[in-house]
Amino acid sequence: MIRVAFLGLGDIGAPIASHLTRDPFELTVWNRTASRADEFAAEHKVSVARTAADAVRSADVVVTCLPSSAEVEAVLHGEQGILEALRKGAVVVDCTSGDPPTSRSIAAELGGRGVDFIDAPVSGGTAGAKAGTLTVMWGGEETVFERVRSVIEAFGKKIVHAGGVGAGDALKAVNNALLAVHILSTAEGLAVLAKAGVDPKIALDVINASSGRSNSSENLFPQRVLTREFPRTFRLALLDKDIGIAAVLAEDLEVRTPIIALAAERFHEAREKLGEEADHVEAVRVIEDENGVKIAAFK
Ligand code: NDP
């Protein structure tokens, strides 16, 4: 039996945790808003802890899935922080899309207490989380990973060692920067075409058989923009955070990335306009509003 504590039952945390509710795992969950943990427990065989410290006290593996590394820090050090409660010999698997320097400093602090850490951000969205087919890019030591392999395999399909602690975060941030660029550039291109009298549905059909295609053009735009559904699966605020991490990483490493920097700026503006609860694909609405055009089928 592997005792797992899961902290953070958000949009992607909850479906990830759902794969840890069966043998050989014994799962205890904690969520800042307790009602969310109670809702999860109504559907799954788990224990609910009232504090994060209570959740981790006897855990072999602690999985965190929080908005950013700042919240991971807060959960470690805050009023009811878990730092003192973590068992010596435990491993913290941080599925947050975090930032490399903070992950490295957390790993160093935990290491001093006999607790190991790997950053293990994921991609594949809430659908991949539900299906247990996420891609997991992890950073840290092989020997540590081996101790948590079964936990990660419970929700991950493609599991890749990115490098030392923080490498998973770096890879995730750059992936999401590309996602942001693709959403913006696809919206801009379709806005031009709509104004030029080309039906966006026909335009996407051609782009998706041509070299301009991406996951955004193949999946996000047909399923979410043309349909005007814009479902909330991944908050725009979180993508803004990710592209910001990529931009800072580039700056720290003195790599010139004007396209990523501009996309970061545009997503920041979109977050200010659309708020904390909007979905990431809704950034398209800002481009539509600015240009007085709708990216929807003509008929
Ligand atoms: P959500 O915003 O849906 O959930 C965030 C979770 O963190 C909630 O459980 C929330 O608790 C908790 N939380 C927020 N602030 C604090 C705090 N100060 N202290 C303790 N707990 C806190 O985010 P997601 O689940 O979508 O994302 C989690 C991570 O996974 C992020 O880093 C995101 O970038 C990444 N990710 C998300 C994907 C997606 O498709 N959604 C895809 C891939 C990665 P409460 O319920 O109280 O608000």
Side-chain angles (χ1 to χ4, degrees), residues 8-13 30-33 36 65-68 71 74-75 95-97 122-123 125-126 172 232-235 238 241-242:
L9 299 167
D11 285 342
I12 201 151
W30 172 81
N31 193 68
R32 180 183 61 174
T33 305
R36 236 165 161 176
C65 193
L66 301 172
S68 73
E71 285 80 18
V75 163
C95 288
T96 305
S97 302
V122 300
S123 65
T126 51
K172 175 68 189 173
R232 212 307 276 291
T233 60
F234 176 41
R235 291 191 298 120
L238 293 173
K241 172 258 313 178
D242 292 334

Side-chain angles (χ1 to χ4, degrees), residues 51-265:
T51 67
D54 283 347
V56 307
R57 227 174 284 286
S58 59
D60 307 305
V61 182
V62 175
V63 184
T64 42
C65 193
L66 301 172
S68 73
S69 295
E71 285 80 18
V72 180
E73 280 274 21
V75 163
L76 279 175
H77 296 287
E79 221 171 278
Q80 295 177 330
I82 63 172
L83 198 61
E84 301 294 335
L86 285 166
R87 273 188 47 232
K88 213 174 166 174
V91 181
V92 174
V93 175
D94 186 18
C95 288
T96 305
S97 302
D99 68 85
T102 310
S103 286
R104 284 194 290 269
S105 94
I106 290 172
E109 180 173 28
L110 292 179
R113 294 173 166 261
V115 174
D116 287 305
F117 175 94
I118 63 173
D119 50 310
V122 300
S123 65
T126 51
K130 279 181 197 136
T133 56
L134 289 172
T135 295
V136 183
M137 53 216 90
W138 63 277
E141 298 289 331
E142 291 272 7
T143 49
V144 176
F145 173 77
E146 285 308 324
R147 286 156 53 207
V148 297
R149 175 190 280 279
S150 63
V151 171
I152 293 179
E153 282 181 349
F155 57 82
K157 189 172 173 200
K158 185 176 175 74
I159 300 168
V160 180
H161 188 193
V165 169
D169 290 336
L171 180 44
K172 175 68 189 173
V174 169
N175 176 74
N176 279 19
L178 299 184
L179 164 65
V181 168
H182 293 159
I183 290 172
L184 295 173
S185 55
T186 306
E188 287 181 3
L190 291 173
V192 173
L193 288 171
K195 281 206 163 176
V198 180
D199 186 329
K201 189 167 188 283
I202 292 171
L204 276 170
D205 191 30
V206 171
I207 289 166
N208 287 334
S210 309
S211 48
R213 70 185 182 277
S214 63
N215 180 60
S216 295
S217 69
E218 289 184 314
N219 293 306
L220 298 181
F221 277 71
Q223 291 164 19
R224 300 172 178 221
V225 180
L226 289 186
T227 61
R228 311 307 292 172
E229 284 178 8
F230 294 102
R232 212 307 276 291
T233 60
F234 176 41
R235 291 191 298 120
L236 189 153
L238 293 173
L239 184 52
D240 173 47
K241 172 258 313 178
D242 292 334
I243 188 167
I245 293 170
V248 169
L249 184 67
E251 215 178 292
D252 288 350
L253 296 170
E254 297 179 8
V255 180
R256 205 171 156 264
T257 54
I259 292 174
I260 289 177
L262 183 57
E265 201 181 296

